[in-house]
Amino acid sequence: MHVEQPILQIKNLSKQYGAGCSNCLQPNARLEKNFCPVCKTVFACKDVSIDLYRGEILGIVGESGSGKSTLMKSLYFDEEVTSGEGYLEDFHNGSLNIFTQSGQQKRYIRNALLGMVYQNPMLGLKMSFSSISNIAEKQIAAGSRHVGNMVNRSNELLNQVNIPLKRSKEPPKNFSGGMQQRVQIAKALSSNPPILLLDEVTTGLDLSVQASVLDLIKTIQRELQISMIVVSHDLAVIRMLADRTIVMLNGQIIEQGLTDQILEDPQHAYTQQLVYSLL
Amino acid sequence: MIQIENLQKEFTIHHLNKTLHAVRDISFTVEKGSFLGIVGKSGSGKSTILKSIYGTYIPKSGAIYYDSETLGKINLVTASPREILHLRKYEIGYVSQFLSVMPRTTALELVEQALLETGVSYEKAHEEAIDTLKHFDLDESLWNNYPNYFSGGEKLRLNIARAVVKKPRLLLLDEPTASLDNASKLKVRESIEKLKHQGTTLIGIFHDLEFMDGLCDEVFTMRKAVVNAYEA
């Protein structure tokens, strides 16, 4: 086996809300969880480093406020990082830090090299536009101009995510939660990105709909060999999908490993608590 | 093929402030193509050894050397998760007593997927999956059903089929015959003999000593988290 290069490499990513002070900006800062009691700065992500490999699903678990979603938003440039480096193999062969690129380059990365599925479909879709327009929007942003090609690709994707084509002109606001998530997945895939980011995509859906969305994600991963980062507070979802798993607490990675190892032989006290709480 | 040196595994339960010693100072070697049977009472650490080899458990100390076809001689205790995933995909199989599956995945798809992830064509995966399901006498009416509705024995046969279809170089069997009737056990035995003939190395835990008779080349007996007896 040759030495594998990660398709995405994140080094020491930090995101803080607030300027920080002499209490919290030193190496062994005294914080209340990830919050500085002196200057009220919140350290949402602190020195997070991850590698994602081609074709794998990486799970990220942790309680609310652990920094999972901030990490995803930072990767998708919804949030500006405070510090850290990110390298994508498909962007200048991983030689340039994506976080220090111009707005134009970041838009290119976001539209052509990444796909994002939010927990709340309202963040990822324009609810009053037709589903087919929503999907075409990302293709236009990624550089497509041929209307016929875009329509064909959108229909192909709607078919792939099991949305009846006769409903392609309906806006997502007419759809159920599960269907809205499937339209989001179709949109995220429309520019053939090598990496898909999924942020709590099954939260709030009923069990049978959850199963169909998970099934769809797994099928897409198997057929397209796409790499995915799946954020969830639900360990059952992570067990079902992820090859490797990262556990976050108070903005930091506290444990990582094979998913079955994390679930059956958790090392950290917090991970043990999480696993013992699994129904 | 597998060389285990002074393996120790402890479980630290933080909220109880307690450490459990599961396996202490285990050493043994398994030659290529041979079958090692591990016997012992519940809680003696049999499954812990298999899960440490498979990478599910992190040993406290010791080494597990495995002669990989693609990675060379590798210590599974210090191997990276990506290396373990690679070995699981192409070389090492594991059969437990329990079947965990994706929702809404049929029995046939489950066995096909095991092959598809190794890069074989759909046609070949389909053909071999059907042959394997037939071998384990899984009724044809069940092939396109979801395993959630299967009986314990049917689930177990499907679980074994999923591991065996990939023809692994090393197969770890964690009480795979626990709830099988005699006819099914015979099928498992036939399959194990076939794998042995093809050169697969096997390590298995069985409560059924009769089943192991004549099948294993070596037997370890474990007691109180230590290998107490060795028979060849």
Side-chain angles (χ1 to χ4, degrees):
Chain A
M1 193 171 94
H2 68 282
V3 179
E4 251 187 322
Q5 289 302 318
I7 185 171
L8 170 69
Q9 202 172 12
I10 301 296
K11 292 181 181 174
N12 305 105
L13 183 150
S14 292
K15 172 68 187 171
Q16 68 187 60
Y17 298 97
C21 65
S22 55
N23 173 61
C24 60
L25 292 179
Q26 53 187 327
N28 294 317
R30 276 172 307 184
L31 301 176
E32 288 172 5
K33 291 193 169 181
N34 56 350
F35 173 75
C36 174
V38 178
C39 68
K40 318 292 181 203
T41 294
V42 175
F43 295 85
C45 281
K46 205 171 179 188
D47 282 333
V48 173
S49 297
I50 58 172
D51 289 338
L52 176 71
Y53 292 86
R54 205 169 280 279
E56 84 164 340
I57 301 185
L58 178 68
I60 302 182
V61 290
E63 62 191 11
S64 299
S66 61
K68 314 184 296 287
S69 291
T70 303
L71 174 62
M72 294 294 259
K73 284 176 188 163
S74 301
L75 291 179
Y76 201 57
F77 307 114
D78 283 340
E79 297 271 3
E80 192 144 332
V81 300
T82 306
S83 61
E85 297 165 38
Y87 300 95
L88 275 167
E89 200 185 29
D90 293 299
F91 183 69
H92 295 273
N93 290 323
S95 62
L96 299 178
N97 179 3
I98 57 172
F99 296 126
T100 55
Q101 297 304 304
S102 65
Q104 189 187 12
Q105 289 296 331
K106 283 181 181 170
R107 275 195 296 281
Y108 164 74
I109 294 168
R110 184 182 154 109
N111 291 319
L113 304 180
L114 301 172
M116 175 72 150
V117 182
Y118 296 93
Q119 177 183 351
N120 181 355
M122 289 177 80
L123 293 175
L125 298 173
K126 292 194 167 59
M127 300 305 268
S128 305
F129 289 21
S130 69
S131 300
I132 200 164
S133 310
N134 267 289
I135 298 169
E137 187 197 12
K138 186 167 169 76
Q139 295 174 69
I140 293 167
S144 292
R145 291 295 177 265
H146 191 285
V147 175
N149 288 350
M150 283 192 281
V151 170
N152 288 342
R153 174 78 181 133
S154 302
N155 284 338
E156 183 188 312
L157 285 161
L158 285 171
N159 196 35
Q160 197 171 0
V161 300
N162 303 319
I163 301 282
L165 290 186
K166 62 183 179 192
R167 302 194 67 181
S168 67
K169 290 187 178 145
E170 284 186 46
K173 68 179 180 187
N174 290 2
F175 291 169
S176 66
M179 285 174 80
Q180 288 175 353
Q181 287 307 52
R182 282 184 273 148
V183 175
Q184 267 210 94
I185 292 171
K187 180 179 178 179
L189 291 172
S190 63
S191 58
N192 289 319
I195 297 173
L196 199 57
L197 308 171
L198 302 144
D199 190 4
E200 302 272 13
V201 285
T202 56
T203 305
L205 301 177
D206 69 52
L207 276 179
S208 64
V209 180
Q210 258 192 37
S212 73
V213 173
L214 291 177
D215 194 14
L216 173 66
I217 292 167
K218 195 76 183 170
T219 306
I220 286 167
Q221 191 270 340
R222 197 174 55 244
E223 288 175 359
L224 305 179
Q225 277 298 297
I226 200 166
S227 305
M228 298 185 185
I229 300 181
V230 178
V231 159
S232 181
H233 66 272
D234 185 347
L235 284 177
V237 168
I238 295 296
R239 176 162 56 191
M240 211 56 87
L241 293 177
D243 303 306
R244 290 188 300 127
T245 294
I246 282 171
V247 185
M248 288 187 73
L249 178 68
N250 298 333
Q252 290 180 297
I253 292 176
I254 54 159
E255 186 168 353
Q256 55 185 310
L258 295 164
T259 300
D260 57 321
Q261 180 262 303
I262 294 286
L263 293 173
E264 291 194 41
D265 189 17
Q267 306 291 304
H268 193 280
Y270 171 72
T271 316
Q272 288 188 358
Q273 268 182 32
L274 262 187
V275 172
Y276 298 153
S277 311
L278 184 60
L279 294 175
Chain B
M1 172 70 98
I2 280 270
Q3 193 184 341
I4 295 187
E5 291 179 359
N6 308 109
L7 187 72
Q8 290 209 54
K9 173 63 189 163
E10 291 178 356
F11 293 96
T12 302
I13 318 291
H14 291 283
H15 76 284
L16 297 176
N17 201 18
K18 212 172 175 182
T19 298
L20 305 172
H21 299 274
V23 164
R24 276 186 180 137
D25 207 22
I26 295 271
S27 298
F28 62 76
T29 302
V30 187
E31 298 300 333
K32 188 175 186 309
S34 66
F35 187 170
L36 175 80
I38 303 176
V39 294
K41 288 181 179 171
S42 294
S44 60
K46 306 184 298 294
S47 294
T48 302
I49 294 178
L50 290 199
K51 289 188 176 183
S52 298
I53 296 171
Y54 198 59
T56 303
Y57 287 169
I58 301 174
K60 184 191 175 217
S61 61
I64 302 170
Y65 294 108
Y66 166 70
D67 288 324
S68 162
E69 194 171 33
T70 46
L71 304 180
K73 188 171 181 174
I74 183 168
N75 182 357
L76 299 176
V77 174
T78 54
S80 72
R82 290 292 298 169
E83 287 170 325
I84 298 277
L85 285 171
H86 172 86
L87 292 174
R88 287 181 181 183
K89 197 188 240 184
Y90 298 105
E91 299 190 28
I92 303 178
Y94 181 88
V95 181
S96 76
Q97 302 166 57
F98 310 105
L99 177 72
S100 70
V101 292
M102 276 294 288
R104 298 203 245 193
T105 304
T106 67
L108 181 60
E109 285 167 346
L110 202 65
V111 182
E112 285 169 354
Q113 279 168 19
L115 283 173
L116 288 172
E117 69 174 21
T118 65
V120 304
S121 68
Y122 174 75
E123 289 71 25
K124 192 170 164 54
H126 183 70
E127 196 180 306
E128 291 196 16
I130 285 177
D131 284 349
T132 311
L133 290 175
K134 274 184 185 165
H135 173 80
F136 284 102
D137 276 344
L138 199 74
D139 198 282
E140 203 170 330
S141 64
L142 297 174
W143 294 358
N144 291 313
N145 276 336
Y146 303 135
N148 312 47
Y149 308 110
F150 290 8
S151 70
E154 286 162 351
K155 279 184 184 170
L156 212 44
R157 277 182 283 156
L158 175 61
N159 211 6
I160 298 172
R162 182 168 64 160
V164 163
V165 75
K166 288 162 80 170
K167 299 183 182 68
R169 292 181 82 235
L170 172 66
L171 184 60
L172 308 169
L173 302 159
D174 192 350
E175 299 192 33
T177 55
S179 59
L180 293 184
D181 56 35
N182 283 335
S184 298
K185 277 184 189 171
L186 200 63
K187 286 286 171 189
V188 174
R189 195 185 165 102
E190 274 175 31
S191 195
I192 289 173
E193 280 168 348
K194 199 174 162 190
L195 283 170
K196 265 185 79 176
H197 187 68
Q198 288 166 353
T200 297
T201 307
L202 297 116
I203 304 177
I205 298 171
F206 300 92
H207 274 307
D208 186 349
L209 297 179
E210 204 180 315
F211 181 84
M212 292 172 75
D213 192 33
L215 197 58
C216 298
D217 300 302
E218 294 170 65
V219 175
F220 275 122
T221 306
M222 292 189 65
R223 213 171 290 124
K224 289 180 186 169
V226 185
V227 170
N228 280 351
Y230 172 87
E231 296 165 27

